[in-house]
């Protein structure tokens, strides 16, 4: 009893009080249990949210790492002491490293950027990355190098970006790429914009630019040498452009051997060369020309000896224009080319013939025999002496186009494969191109081109027939057939047998009227003997 603090009697009131206390205790326990469960649930929820946040953060980090590692550009972070704090895979690959441990915590300036391109030290105060760390100034550089830990260097293009937090500079992110290939391509583009790709000499545009720079009083007297390479078209047409290119290269090398380092040498295009010689009087320029000729005489492309037509002119006062000096040198060159044209053409033709004879020696005797037979027929026809001479030359040169045929096919003589037959049938075309190059042989070109045409139109290369075939070609055809029959690969036959075969070819392969004249004159000659 709270009134007497003595045990209360166990009566209905006590029972009610006990029940009320028990009920209150139950309610209280239930309340606390509910609160505890709510607290547990809240804690579990908080843990779940924390785990989810951690997973999200980890996913974010993985995505960031994936993005960093998937970029071709190398990326690394550094603190304000220039020590590396992170890097991506591209960064390791470019630097030739195996793991981040080789880079993290290292001084980036000392590791990558402490030396210039030539290996000389690069002070920290001149490093743009250090400047970004100290001043918070972003930078971009494309003409510097980074050094790998193995001691090799590479051209680099890099950016350094300052990183701020709450307004304070906290670090720097450096991105860079290996710029070696780009720089190499740029240098190649720059080189080929000013140089001839084949010879390595300056090209026309850059020569004109250099001439303007060299055209000063301090360089007087200035001499200009113009040169024109002989035989380039013949080399290209007969032996192909690869041989022509080799001839150009050898010519350029010969000129380089003679000239000084300060001289300006250019290939103007095709077979034209020019040399500008500062502080060189005319007499010295003529000596240079003489030395170029001497060097070229020792250079040879196949059976062809290198040669050039050369001319020079000298500017001695500022009042003279360098353009006029070049023009005068060009005129001197063409004057020499014209004066020596016949000798040059003869040398080139002889070289071509000798090239053919070196591959197939029997062609020499064949050419000589056909030439004499052509003379005999021309005289029997009563042609003027000039045409007799022309036919004699045509007979001698009628197979000059065979110089472009392989030695294997020439020695084979017959039973060609389909491709060999195609190649063989090109020799009249090649002969036409060769003879058309030179003024002295241009009159023979058409006859040589058509000497394998047949009277009935079954020949090549154009399928002409009858009088469509030039007379010179018809005469060469008769002479050539007779010589081949008489001295063929099947062994020699008598003149009578050869003449009989020629008679059998009249009206199909050969002009029947010419065959009649030929047989008559040959029979008379044989009877006279």
């Amino acid at each position: 009893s709270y009134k007497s603090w003595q045990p209360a009697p166990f009566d209905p009131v006590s029972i009610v009080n006990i029940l009320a206390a028990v009920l209150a205790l139950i309610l209280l326990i239930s309340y606390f249990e509910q609160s505890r469960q709510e607290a547990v649930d809240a804690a579990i929820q908080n843990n779940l949210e924390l785990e989810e946040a951690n997973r999200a953060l980890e996913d974010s980090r993985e995505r960031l790492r994936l993005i960093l590692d998937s970029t071709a550009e190398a990326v690394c972070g550094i603190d304000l002491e220039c020590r590396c704090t992170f890097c991506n895979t591209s960064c390791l690959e470019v630097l030739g490293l195996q793991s981040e441990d080789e880079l993290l915590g290292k001084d980036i300036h000392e590791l990558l950027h402490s030396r210039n391109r030539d290996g000389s030290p690069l002070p920290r105060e001149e490093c743009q990355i250090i400047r970004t760390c100290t001043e918070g100034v972003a930078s971009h550089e494309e003409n510097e190098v980074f050094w790998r830990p193995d001691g090799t260097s590479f051209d680099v293009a890099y950016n350094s970006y300052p990183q701020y937090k709450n307004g304070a500079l906290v670090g720097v992110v450096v991105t860079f790429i290996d710029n070696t290939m780009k720089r190499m391509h740029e240098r190649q583009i720059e080189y080929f914009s000013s140089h001839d790709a084949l010879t390595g000499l300056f090209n026309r545009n850059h020569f004109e630019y250099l001439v303007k720079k060299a055209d000063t009083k301090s360089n007087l007297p200035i001499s200009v040498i113009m040169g024109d390479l002989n035989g380039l078209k013949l080399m290209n047409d007969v032996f192909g452009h690869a041989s022509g290119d080799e001839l150009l290269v050898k010519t350029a090398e010969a000129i380089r051997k003679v000239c000084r380092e300060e001289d300006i040498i250019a290939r103007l295009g095709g077979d034209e060369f020019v040399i500008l010689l500062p502080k060189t009087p005319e007499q010295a320029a003529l000596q240079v020309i003489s030395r170029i000729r001497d060097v070229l005489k020792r250079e040879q492309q196949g059976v062809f000896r290198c040669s050039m037509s050369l001319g020079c002119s000298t500017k001695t006062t500022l009042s003279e224009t360098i353009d006029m000096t070049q023009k005068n040198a060009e005129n001197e060159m063409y004057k020499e080319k014209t004066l020596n044209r016949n000798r040059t053409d003869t040398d080139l033709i002889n070289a071509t013939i000798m090239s053919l004879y070196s591959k197939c020696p029997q062609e020499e005797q064949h050419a000589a025999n056909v030439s004499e037979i052509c003379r005999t027929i021309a005289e029997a026809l009563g042609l003027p002496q000039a045409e007799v001479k022309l036919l004699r030359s045509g007979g001698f040169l009628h197979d000059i186009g065979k110089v472009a045929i392989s030695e294997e096919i020439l020695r084979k003589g017959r039973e060609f494969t389909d491709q060999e037959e195609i190649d063989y049938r090109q020799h009249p075309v090649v002969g036409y191109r060769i003879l058309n190059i030179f003024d002295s042989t241009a009159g023979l070109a058409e006859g040589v081109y058509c000497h394998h045409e047949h009277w009935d139109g079954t020949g090549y290369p154009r399928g002409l027939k009858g009088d469509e075939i030039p007379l010179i070609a018809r005469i060469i055809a008769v002479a050539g057939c007779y010589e081949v029959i008489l001295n063929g690969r099947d062994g020699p036959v008598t003149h009578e047998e050869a003449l009989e075969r020629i008679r059998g070819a009249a009206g199909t392969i050969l002009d029947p009227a010419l065959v009649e004249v030929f047989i008559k004159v040959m029979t008379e000659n044989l009877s006279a003997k």
Side-chain angles (χ1 to χ4, degrees):
S1 171
Y2 67 90
K3 293 182 179 179
S4 63
W5 299 105
Q6 294 294 323
F10 190 73
D11 54 16
V13 174
S14 297
I15 293 172
V16 170
N17 288 339
I18 289 171
L19 291 175
V22 170
L23 180 60
L25 182 60
I26 290 172
L27 292 174
L28 183 61
I29 291 172
S30 175
Y31 171 76
F32 279 115
E33 179 61 23
Q34 181 179 356
S35 299
R36 187 191 65 80
Q37 188 61 46
E38 290 176 353
V40 170
D41 292 342
I44 292 173
Q45 183 63 32
N46 289 338
N47 287 337
L48 291 174
E49 291 176 356
L50 181 60
E51 289 176 2
E52 184 65 28
N54 287 336
R55 280 196 299 270
L57 180 60
E58 188 63 29
D59 289 344
S60 178
R61 287 176 178 169
E62 289 178 358
R63 284 196 295 272
L64 179 60
R65 168 56 70 177
L66 181 63
I67 292 171
L68 285 174
D69 288 343
S70 64
T71 59
E73 194 172 29
V75 181
C76 69
I78 58 176
D79 60 21
L80 298 183
E81 299 299 323
C82 204
R83 292 188 298 266
C84 180
T85 56
F86 70 86
C87 64
N88 68 347
T89 301
S90 293
C91 181
L92 298 176
E93 290 176 353
V94 171
L95 297 176
L97 301 177
Q98 298 299 318
S99 69
E100 293 179 345
D101 295 337
E102 298 177 76
L103 196 59
L104 296 179
K106 304 289 179 64
D107 188 312
I108 292 298
H109 173 77
E110 293 297 327
L111 190 65
L112 308 181
H113 203 212
S114 60
R115 288 176 287 170
N116 292 305
R117 188 183 300 275
D118 60 2
S120 61
L122 176 67
R124 293 182 76 88
E125 58 271 16
E126 295 181 15
C127 174
Q128 294 301 315
I129 297 174
I130 295 292
R131 183 171 175 232
T132 304
C133 291
T134 57
E135 301 178 16
V137 178
S139 66
H140 173 74
E141 297 292 334
E142 289 193 355
N143 297 313
E144 296 186 9
V145 297
F146 275 1
W147 292 82
R148 298 184 179 93
D150 64 4
T152 60
S153 65
F154 59 95
D155 285 284
V156 68
Y158 73 84
N159 296 279
S160 57
Y161 302 103
Q163 301 298 301
Y164 290 92
K165 183 177 181 179
N166 299 326
L169 181 65
V170 295
V172 174
V173 172
V174 179
T175 64
F176 61 92
I177 59 172
D178 185 341
N179 215 27
T180 303
M181 293 302 296
K182 180 182 177 183
R183 291 288 297 162
M184 184 181 70
H185 291 155
E186 288 174 348
R187 286 191 288 268
Q188 287 178 340
I189 292 170
E190 183 179 354
Y191 177 85
F192 288 121
S193 68
S194 60
H195 288 75
D196 173 49
L198 178 63
T199 63
L201 302 178
F202 292 122
N203 59 25
R204 179 186 292 272
N205 288 339
H206 197 64
F207 175 77
E208 292 174 354
Y209 165 75
L210 293 175
V211 166
K212 291 177 182 178
K213 290 184 65 177
D215 188 15
T216 62
K217 183 177 180 180
S218 61
N219 281 330
L220 292 176
I222 301 173
S223 291
V224 176
I225 297 175
M226 297 291 293
D228 188 89
L229 180 60
N230 297 320
L232 180 61
K233 179 172 174 55
L234 177 62
M235 183 67 72
N236 286 333
D237 287 351
V238 176
F239 298 102
H241 286 272
S243 294
D245 290 347
E246 185 65 25
L247 181 64
L248 287 166
V249 170
K250 287 186 176 181
T251 302
E253 290 173 351
I255 295 173
R256 280 197 190 95
K257 290 177 183 177
V258 172
C259 293
R260 305 166 299 182
E261 187 175 343
E262 61 267 28
D263 297 335
I264 302 170
I265 314 169
R267 179 187 173 204
L268 299 182
D271 51 10
E272 291 185 337
F273 293 80
V274 61
I275 311 168
L276 186 138
L277 303 98
K279 302 177 183 178
T280 305
E282 184 175 13
Q283 192 59 38
L286 291 172
Q287 291 175 0
V288 172
I289 287 178
S290 180
R291 290 199 299 271
I292 290 174
R293 287 197 176 106
D294 289 342
V295 173
L296 286 175
K297 284 179 183 177
R298 297 192 293 271
E299 294 291 341
Q300 197 155 333
Q301 175 62 19
V303 296
F304 290 91
R305 196 178 300 278
C306 299
S307 68
M308 293 186 78
S309 299
L310 295 159
C312 75
S313 181
T314 303
K315 172 179 176 174
T316 56
T317 65
L318 284 177
S319 60
E320 301 173 69
T321 65
I322 196 69
D323 289 341
M324 184 54 66
T325 304
Q326 278 186 248
K327 188 65 177 176
N328 291 338
E330 187 175 26
N331 290 339
E332 290 297 316
M333 176 195 72
Y334 282 122
K335 185 187 298 183
E336 184 196 85
K337 194 173 187 72
T338 301
L339 291 173
N340 297 323
R341 182 183 297 276
N342 290 339
R343 178 173 59 81
T344 302
D345 289 356
T346 300
D347 289 344
L348 290 170
I349 292 172
N350 287 339
T352 305
I353 294 171
M354 293 308 297
S355 176
L356 172 60
Y357 295 166
S358 67
K359 291 196 292 185
C360 189
Q362 60 264 36
E363 287 291 337
E364 183 173 6
Q365 189 60 52
H366 174 69
N369 292 341
V370 172
S371 176
E372 285 305 308
I373 296 171
C374 284
R375 178 189 62 78
T376 300
I377 297 173
E379 290 175 348
L381 291 171
L383 298 179
Q385 193 58 39
E387 292 188 33
V388 173
K389 183 179 179 181
L390 185 69
L391 268 163
R392 188 175 183 182
S393 297
F396 186 73
L397 297 173
H398 74 286
D399 275 340
I400 193 172
K402 288 182 179 180
V403 71
I405 301 175
S406 71
E407 184 175 341
E408 180 184 358
I409 295 177
L410 287 176
R411 292 187 180 277
K412 201 171 184 179
R414 60 174 61 191
E415 296 180 358
F416 298 135
T417 65
D418 290 344
Q419 185 57 53
E420 288 173 342
E421 181 71 25
I422 292 172
D423 293 342
Y424 182 83
R425 289 192 173 204
Q426 285 299 304
H427 79 268
V429 180
V430 176
Y432 175 83
R433 290 205 302 262
I434 293 172
L435 298 176
N436 249 328
I437 293 173
F438 308 108
D439 293 340
S440 60
T441 58
L444 303 173
E446 189 68 22
V448 169
Y449 184 55
C450 299
H451 77 275
H452 274 289
E453 301 288 355
H454 292 173
W455 184 257
D456 62 2
T458 60
Y460 62 90
R462 295 166 62 189
L464 301 180
K465 64 185 298 185
D467 291 333
E468 294 175 347
I469 306 169
L471 177 62
I472 184 174
R474 285 179 271 154
I475 293 174
I476 292 172
V478 172
C481 281
Y482 178 75
E483 205 285 328
V484 168
I485 293 170
L486 195 64
N487 302 298
R489 292 177 181 271
D490 295 334
V493 298
T494 65
H495 287 283
E496 290 76 9
E497 289 174 328
L499 290 176
E500 192 60 33
R501 292 189 192 181
I502 290 295
R503 181 179 283 109
T508 53
I509 297 176
L510 305 176
D511 180 346
L514 286 178
V515 168
E516 184 178 343
V517 171
F518 174 69
I519 291 176
K520 180 180 179 182
V521 69
M522 291 302 292
T523 302
E524 291 174 353
N525 289 344
L526 291 173
S527 298
K529 291 180 180 180

